[in-house]
Amino acid sequence: MSWVTLIIKADAAHAERLSDALMAQGALSVDIHDAAADTQAEQMLFGEPGEPSGEIWQNAEVSALFNQDADIDEILRNITHTAQLDSQPDYRLERVEEQDWVRLTQSQFDPIRISQRLWIVPTWHQSPDPAAINLILDPGLAFGTGSHPTTQLCLGWLDQNLQPGDKVIDYGCGSGILAIAALKLGADHVTGIDIDPQAIAASQENALRNQCDPSRFVFTTTHQTVQQGLQPDEQVDVVVANILANPLILLAPILAQAVRQHSHIVLSGILKEQAEEVRDVYQQWFDMCIADEQEAWVLLTGIKR
């Protein structure tokens, strides 16, 4: 069995109209992407939750997957009319053959070395260093495989700074990767919080897969004591939040309240150009600094005054 992918060049003004027209023609799936992806001309677009960027790449491609017997000529005529194009767009065709999609997906994820002693290892790989602290984690529905710079920045900080016996909150835990790393690095207890029930289920499963002691962690979609403000004897040694800049700004009073005096906050998911704004907000409670950066992302950390 095979399929055919119709790939059409488009500008920002027509890409979404072409996408809708292709779906109306029976496309099995459609996506819009940067035609210059993975080149020096790649155009970076970022949007915050609840505040989509509203932008589309100026030099875009619209890819639509069809059954192999689809009449591409007729589809092109119809979408030219439906999308109100002056002429038939430039396009190319690619054939997609049946494959072992599970094996193909797995081949894209190799073990990731975070530090001398910390690795992320998918279940289908042998650990390159069995004596290391190995986080056993597969790609899933929840964010956090360890491949993204924001996750690696947080993991690197935990590896270098977490103290045995620390109590930790992982706010926006996703797959649970940071919470699990904290446990395996010696944290006494970790609370993982996420608004997505699938993230909570994934975190719990991943923690048990990593043989974490269930008495030392809890994952939850709500945490009233954090939202209402922890008492001084309930506050934690480290709050780590790998989210995005706008949510971090909105959550600042809640996260600040959760950290005990002279202890740490660790913030990621922040682009370089957003760092100053986020830092200024948290400066009310913490002595903040840019602790590290990777690609376009920075890690902000602070010690509570």
CSV table of all heavy atoms in Angstrom, one decimal, residues 67 70 126 154 156 198 200 202 216 221 244 281 284 287 289:
chain,number,residue,atom,x,y,z
A,67,ASN,N,-4.7,9.2,-1.1
A,67,ASN,CA,-4.6,7.8,-1.6
A,67,ASN,C,-3.9,7.8,-2.9
A,67,ASN,O,-4.0,8.7,-3.7
A,67,ASN,CB,-6.0,7.2,-1.7
A,67,ASN,CG,-6.6,6.9,-0.3
A,67,ASN,OD1,-5.9,6.5,0.6
A,67,ASN,ND2,-7.9,7.1,-0.2
A,70,ALA,N,-5.7,8.9,-6.2
A,70,ALA,CA,-6.3,10.2,-6.3
A,70,ALA,C,-6.0,10.9,-7.7
A,70,ALA,O,-4.9,10.7,-8.2
A,70,ALA,CB,-5.8,11.1,-5.2
A,126,GLN,N,19.7,0.1,24.5
A,126,GLN,CA,20.6,-0.2,25.7
A,126,GLN,C,21.2,1.1,26.2
A,126,GLN,O,21.5,1.9,25.3
A,126,GLN,CB,21.6,-1.2,25.3
A,126,GLN,CG,21.1,-2.6,25.0
A,126,GLN,CD,20.6,-3.3,26.2
A,126,GLN,OE1,21.1,-3.2,27.3
A,126,GLN,NE2,19.5,-4.1,26.0
A,154,CYS,N,17.0,22.6,31.9
A,154,CYS,CA,16.5,22.3,33.3
A,154,CYS,C,17.2,21.1,33.9
A,154,CYS,O,17.6,21.0,35.0
A,154,CYS,CB,15.0,22.0,33.3
A,154,CYS,SG,14.1,23.5,32.9
A,156,GLY,N,20.2,19.9,33.1
A,156,GLY,CA,21.6,20.3,33.5
A,156,GLY,C,21.7,21.0,34.8
A,156,GLY,O,22.6,20.8,35.6
A,198,GLN,N,-3.7,13.8,30.6
A,198,GLN,CA,-2.8,12.9,29.9
A,198,GLN,C,-1.4,13.0,30.4
A,198,GLN,O,-0.6,12.0,30.5
A,198,GLN,CB,-2.9,13.1,28.4
A,198,GLN,CG,-4.2,12.6,27.8
A,198,GLN,CD,-4.2,12.7,26.3
A,198,GLN,OE1,-3.6,13.7,25.7
A,198,GLN,NE2,-4.9,11.8,25.6
A,200,ILE,N,-0.5,13.9,33.4
A,200,ILE,CA,-0.4,13.3,34.7
A,200,ILE,C,-0.3,11.8,34.6
A,200,ILE,O,0.5,11.1,35.3
A,200,ILE,CB,-1.6,13.7,35.6
A,200,ILE,CG1,-1.7,15.2,35.8
A,200,ILE,CG2,-1.6,12.9,36.9
A,200,ILE,CD1,-0.4,15.8,36.4
A,202,ALA,N,0.9,10.1,32.0
A,202,ALA,CA,2.2,9.8,31.5
A,202,ALA,C,3.3,9.9,32.5
A,202,ALA,O,4.2,9.1,32.6
A,202,ALA,CB,2.5,10.7,30.3
A,216,ARG,N,7.4,8.9,47.3
A,216,ARG,CA,8.2,10.1,47.2
A,216,ARG,C,7.8,11.0,46.1
A,216,ARG,O,8.4,12.0,45.8
A,216,ARG,CB,9.7,9.7,47.0
A,216,ARG,CG,10.4,9.0,48.2
A,216,ARG,CD,11.7,8.5,47.8
A,216,ARG,NE,12.6,9.5,47.3
A,216,ARG,CZ,13.5,9.3,46.3
A,216,ARG,NH1,13.7,8.1,45.8
A,216,ARG,NH2,14.2,10.3,45.9
A,221,THR,N,-3.4,17.3,38.7
A,221,THR,CA,-3.8,18.4,37.8
A,221,THR,C,-4.2,19.6,38.6
A,221,THR,O,-4.3,20.7,38.0
A,221,THR,CB,-5.0,18.0,37.0
A,221,THR,OG1,-6.1,17.5,37.8
A,221,THR,CG2,-4.7,16.9,36.0
A,244,LEU,N,6.3,28.4,29.3
A,244,LEU,CA,6.5,29.4,28.3
A,244,LEU,C,6.5,30.8,29.0
A,244,LEU,O,6.0,30.9,30.1
A,244,LEU,CB,5.6,29.4,27.1
A,244,LEU,CG,5.7,28.3,26.1
A,244,LEU,CD1,4.5,28.3,25.2
A,244,LEU,CD2,7.0,28.4,25.3
A,281,VAL,N,9.9,40.5,36.4
A,281,VAL,CA,8.7,40.1,37.2
A,281,VAL,C,9.2,39.3,38.5
A,281,VAL,O,8.7,39.6,39.6
A,281,VAL,CB,7.8,39.3,36.4
A,281,VAL,CG1,6.6,38.7,37.2
A,281,VAL,CG2,7.1,40.1,35.3
A,284,GLN,N,11.0,40.6,42.0
A,284,GLN,CA,10.3,41.1,43.2
A,284,GLN,C,10.6,40.2,44.4
A,284,GLN,O,10.6,40.6,45.6
A,284,GLN,CB,8.8,41.1,43.0
A,284,GLN,CG,8.3,42.0,41.9
A,284,GLN,CD,6.8,41.8,41.6
A,284,GLN,OE1,6.0,42.0,42.5
A,284,GLN,NE2,6.5,41.3,40.5
A,287,ASP,N,16.7,37.0,43.6
A,287,ASP,CA,17.8,37.5,42.9
A,287,ASP,C,18.0,36.6,41.7
A,287,ASP,O,18.5,35.5,41.8
A,287,ASP,CB,19.1,37.4,43.8
A,287,ASP,CG,18.9,38.4,45.0
A,287,ASP,OD1,18.4,39.5,44.9
A,287,ASP,OD2,19.4,38.0,46.1
A,289,CYS,N,19.0,35.6,37.6
A,289,CYS,CA,20.1,35.7,36.6
A,289,CYS,C,19.8,34.7,35.5
A,289,CYS,O,19.0,33.8,35.6
A,289,CYS,CB,21.5,35.4,37.3
A,289,CYS,SG,21.7,33.6,37.7
